[in-house]
Amino acid sequence: MKRKLLTMLAIVVSTCSISAIDANTVEVKFNGNTATVTIASNISAYVKVASGTSSHVKLVQAENFAGIDANVDNEDGEIIYVLSGTSNDGEFYLEGAFKCSVELNGLTLTNPSGPAINLQNGKRCSVTAKKGTTSTLVDGANADFNGAYHCKGHTKFKGKGTLNVTGNSKHAVYSKEYIEIKNLTLNITSSVKDAIHCKEYFLMESGTVNINSAGEDGVQVELANDPETGIIADHEDENTGNFYMEGGTLTISSYTGKAVKADGELKITGGKRSFSDNDMQAYAGIADQWADADAVSYYDLNGLRISQPKLRGIYIERRGSKSFKRIMR
């Protein structure tokens, strides 16, 4: 009996421990039906483990966490969650009210009953695929959530590793606010609905995105319910419904709807893509509702903005917040 008690104690300590790991870091290692959570001592007062030894890891980041001195500790002054290991019945769930970083270090995670990663954090969440690693996320039935990767806030995907995502219930990647992509390779193997779905805006700065077998659209960008901002230089807090592509490679194949659909405008200034303008759709008039009343712009029937109508065809003419059909003969 004494030996059994000691064994149980060891499991509890190794599953949720305070250790001399890198400052500001929480390490989560999945192993089948269990997970080991290790919390750096300097942030132990701010992170609570609410899941015990379960592979369905639930962490709560204290709302009174005021951030860390970015000049001393890390780039953004935030808690970093490093995820690794494998589970065919697991989940990473995080609650919080302060921005955070999630590092994927060779993680293979399947959740048959919901999102593999579920970030219930309305702030910016940075998700890094570490260089030289491949991580895989797969979801199951998740009627209450929207993706195998589900984020309540805005997501910045980055890193020089690879992330594979499969959406068996709705979308593969979902963010309630904007999504930005830089450097990493993101492979979406299949999705029941949109492969990538976000609000506010989508920005592909660099990297590689491969989308296959999307049940609806490859990328869909919504305008948030209460628009407050328009286009600004660094995009922060922007709410336009726009799709931006500045670089990288975007390959979208085998989709039912459109390759790209946006509530705002399509702004493609660089990069390579596998689809034509006819495979995209934009409701540019929605994004133009803040435009000057005298401003005039033209769009084809796919929603793509053009400089001037050609000699023949049907076009949409926007004057301020009003739209008109224009037939050129």
Side-chain angles (χ1 to χ4, degrees):
M1 181 67 178
K2 182 177 180 181
R3 185 172 182 177
K4 288 183 179 180
L5 287 173
L6 289 174
T7 302
M8 290 175 64
L9 179 60
I11 291 174
V12 172
V13 171
S14 64
T15 303
C16 177
S17 60
I18 299 172
S19 177
I21 61 174
D22 290 344
N24 317 322
T25 301
V26 176
E27 290 185 352
V28 181
K29 297 181 179 180
F30 291 88
N31 184 13
N33 293 325
T34 63
T36 301
V37 180
T38 307
I39 304 171
S41 57
N42 73 312
I43 55 171
S44 60
Y46 301 111
V47 180
K48 176 185 177 182
V49 181
S51 51
T53 66
S54 173
S55 55
H56 286 259
V57 175
K58 181 177 181 179
L59 303 183
V60 179
Q61 183 173 305
E63 292 190 8
N64 64 344
F65 174 69
I68 302 162
D69 186 349
N71 295 320
V72 176
D73 298 298
N74 62 27
E75 180 180 354
D76 296 307
E78 60 200 60
I79 294 175
I80 302 170
Y81 299 86
V82 181
L83 313 183
S84 63
T86 301
S87 176
N88 291 322
D89 187 2
E91 174 186 14
F92 178 73
Y93 177 100
L94 176 65
E95 289 183 8
F98 193 82
K99 61 185 181 179
C100 68
S101 288
V102 176
E103 291 188 1
L104 306 179
N105 188 14
L107 172 70
T108 300
L109 193 58
T110 298
N111 183 6
S113 58
I117 291 183
N118 188 348
L119 304 180
Q120 290 296 306
N121 187 329
K123 300 296 184 179
R124 193 271 293 137
C125 299
S126 173
V127 178
T128 302
K130 296 191 72 173
K131 183 178 180 179
T133 69
T134 297
S135 294
T136 300
L137 306 177
V138 182
D139 72 343
N142 56 6
D144 295 330
F145 300 99
N146 292 309
Y149 170 87
H150 179 105
C151 181
K152 184 180 178 181
H154 32 278
T155 303
K156 291 189 176 184
F157 287 107
K158 60 182 183 178
K160 295 186 177 181
T162 299
L163 173 60
N164 303 319
V165 187
T166 299
N168 288 320
S169 183
K170 294 182 182 179
H171 312 302
V173 172
Y174 171 83
S175 197
K176 192 175 180 180
E177 297 176 359
Y178 67 74
I179 287 179
E180 295 184 358
I181 294 178
K182 183 178 181 178
N183 292 332
L184 91 165
T185 297
L186 174 61
N187 299 316
I188 296 180
T189 56
S190 65
S191 59
V192 173
K193 293 189 174 182
D194 306 324
I196 298 175
H197 189 109
C198 65
K199 297 184 180 182
E200 295 187 346
Y201 69 88
F202 173 92
L203 168 63
M204 185 161 182
E205 188 174 343
S206 61
T208 300
V209 175
N210 299 307
I211 293 174
N212 188 42
S213 298
E216 294 183 356
D217 304 311
V219 178
Q220 183 172 3
V221 190
E222 287 188 67
L223 189 66
N225 292 331
D226 299 313
E228 296 180 354
T229 60
I231 299 172
I232 53 180
D234 60 0
H235 299 289
E236 191 70 22
D237 297 324
E238 177 186 348
N239 180 21
T240 58
N242 287 352
F243 171 90
Y244 298 94
M245 185 168 181
E246 299 176 353
T249 301
L250 178 58
T251 302
I252 305 177
S253 59
S254 182
Y255 47 90
T256 301
K258 290 289 187 179
V260 175
K261 184 183 290 185
D263 279 354
E265 296 185 79
L266 304 171
K267 294 183 175 291
I268 299 173
T269 57
K272 299 179 180 179
R273 52 191 171 100
S274 65
F275 47 90
S276 69
D277 290 350
N278 292 331
D279 293 321
M280 299 186 290
Q281 178 177 314
Y283 300 99
I286 298 175
D288 284 343
Q289 62 182 294
W290 303 285
D292 182 78
D294 296 324
V296 178
S297 55
Y298 300 97
Y299 304 87
D300 65 19
L301 294 183
N302 290 313
L304 293 176
R305 188 166 184 167
I306 57 177
S307 57
Q308 289 288 336
K310 297 179 181 179
L311 294 179
R312 294 182 180 180
I314 301 175
Y315 303 90
I316 302 299
E317 178 179 319
R318 294 280 302 173
R319 290 184 178 272
S321 61
K322 296 182 180 181
S323 298
F324 307 90
K325 182 184 290 186
R326 181 169 181 177
I327 301 175
M328 302 295 291
R329 301 183 186 279

